[in-house]
Amino acid sequence: MNKIGIINCYNESRECSSFGCFKAFNDREASFKNYDCNSEIICFAHCNGCSENSVNQVLDRARIMKKKGVDTIHLSTCIKLKCSLYNKIIESLGNEIDIVGYSHDVE
Ligand code: SF4
């Protein structure tokens, strides 16, 4: 049983319902395919937008999620596809918590 958090891209979140992330989780597809039926998404948040502090701000958000009980954070597929800081975010968060680099498949 896992407690999952998702962090998505602020820019994309302004026009996104998060349907793809939740559908993938509820159907145990794509990045969520190995979770058991008792696993839960307990946190979902976007980054704070593009700035020179973006990586640290995402790390701060991840730390808050960890304090709330999250054991695994998925970066959203929009971060993977759109964010130039993707690798830096993975590296930074990966030092402190289990990190998965995407959420749903691209259709
Ligand atoms: S820093 Fe990356 S994830 Fe955040 S709004 Fe900008 S492009 Fe999106």
Side-chain angles (χ1 to χ4, degrees):
M1 176 176 150
N2 289 85
K3 302 287 190 186
I4 299 161
I6 297 176
I7 298 176
N8 69 351
C9 167
Y10 170 73
N11 292 342
E12 296 300 314
S13 73
R14 290 182 294 180
E15 296 184 349
C16 179
S17 66
S18 305
F19 175 82
C21 290
F22 279 96
K23 183 176 189 311
F25 175 75
N26 288 332
D27 294 346
R28 298 299 190 271
E29 293 177 339
S31 68
F32 304 105
K33 65 183 178 186
N34 292 324
Y35 290 112
D36 64 34
C37 62
N38 293 317
S39 295
E40 301 176 306
I41 294 174
I42 63 168
C43 294
F44 194 110
H46 57 66
C47 81
N48 288 350
C50 301
S51 77
E52 61 187 19
N53 296 318
S54 292
V55 175
N56 284 335
Q57 289 172 348
V58 173
L59 180 59
D60 287 344
R61 195 63 63 92
R63 286 171 173 160
I64 293 170
M65 288 185 174
K66 194 172 175 181
K67 282 184 185 170
K68 296 297 183 186
V70 165
D71 58 59
T72 307
I73 290 179
H74 288 240
L75 297 183
S76 63
T77 295
C78 59
I79 290 188
K80 182 178 182 182
L81 295 177
K82 307 268 176 122
C83 184
S84 62
L85 300 172
Y86 175 75
N87 289 331
K88 288 181 180 173
I89 293 172
I90 291 266
E91 184 179 352
S92 176
L93 271 60
N95 289 327
E96 302 197 14
I97 194 165
D98 286 345
I99 185 88
V100 179
Y102 75 115
S103 51
H104 57 82
D105 290 334
V106 179
E107 295 175 7

